[in-house]
Amino acid sequence: MQKKHSIAPDLTVQIAPRNSIGLLLKNPVMTASGTYGYGVEYKDSVDIEALGAIICKGTTLEPWNGNAQPRLIETTHGLLNAVGLENIGIKSLISDVLPQWRTLHVPFIINIAGHSIDEYVQLAEIIDGLDGVHAVELNISCPNVACGGMEFGVDPDMAAKVTTAVRSKLKMPMLVKLSPNVTDIVAIATAVAEAGADALTLINTVSGMAIDIKKRRPSLGNIFGGLSGAAIKPIALASVYRVAQRIDVPVIGCGGIFCAEDAIEFFMAGASAVQVGTASFCDPNAPIKIVNGIAQYLQNNAIQNIRDLIGAARI
Ligand SMILES: Cc1cc2nc3c(=O)[nH]c(=O)nc-3n(C[C@H](O)[C@H](O)[C@H](O)COP(=O)(O)O)c2cc1C
């Protein structure tokens, strides 16, 4: 009987082609910021080195306490969160987490946030060139903080200003994460790409709320929160489709990706890679299952290279 030979499909993607350092991932699946801690928490139960990259919790110059409880509400098809960027701050990340990252064979990306452009710039200066860090993701899109975060991401001029300022201090690859809570996401994406972003992550959470009808009060301590999960996938997909056909930097799709088929929709819409968020709360192995499912899909359809799928559904 003749033996069937199947060559493993090529899943590698370069998501910072215009950066001289670059960011070549062994596969296009990353964890979304704020949904996988610092990655190391999962290393004994998940093969985290099989991931394309790990993006850590949003990190600020000083530790932030976040918002009042309750901060998480489950909705019919998603999750509302108003964590408010509670995090340990960059100094503790460097002293306590970075030594662990250096022992692991997977790229780590630091998601950063701040109250002012100066805070973003100071973070960039501290992080640039750190051994064990492969890129920075600029969060200019968090809907759950009173000052900073999304404020920078809803206005093209402000978005460009913060991107330019960080770019001037950062040689390593820079992803910029955009908010869907805008009228024209293509305008923001254009401004940020022209200001020097190496890649764009689309999207952060969608602004929302829930009401506790027994208490006659908003359910979240912060009143408003960000919706994630299955409910936002069509919004994220449309954002990726619109931006990818207009902008010449890689787009990373994020929002409601729970399985390989979801990820493949994003590639076909024009994403060069994807991030998995809320799905990891249901199953911490979800991102790995998605990597394997993508490889299986390519093999089943005799597609040799993941790059052949990118933008395949564009009309
Ligand atoms: C609990 C929680 C915390 C999050 N924290 C951050 C964060 O610190 N920085 C950030 O850029 N995005 C943060 N996000 C947004 C996610 O990274 C992602 O953009 C969003 O959840 C949509 O993807 P998903 O539907 O796969 O979860 C957070 C999301 C959740 C649910």
Side-chain angles (χ1 to χ4, degrees), residues 3-25:
K3 231 179 172 182
K4 249 191 181 174
H5 288 282
S6 60
I7 308 161
D10 183 355
L11 291 182
T12 59
V13 286
Q14 171 56 259
I15 58 164
R18 65 183 201 181
N19 181 287
S20 59
I21 300 168
L23 187 56
L24 183 68
L25 306 184

Side-chain angles (χ1 to χ4, degrees), residues 23-26 51-55 104-109 132 134:
L23 187 56
L24 183 68
L25 306 184
K26 60 179 169 289
L51 290 165
I54 291 173
I55 305 188
L104 293 158
H105 298 103
V106 59
F108 285 96
I109 298 173
H134 295 78

Side-chain angles (χ1 to χ4, degrees), residues 168-186:
S168 71
K169 302 290 176 194
L170 196 74
K171 288 184 202 71
M172 59 171 53
M174 172 172 66
L175 286 49
V176 181
K177 186 165 178 181
L178 302 190
S179 170
N181 305 311
V182 295
T183 311
D184 182 4
I185 198 164
V186 176

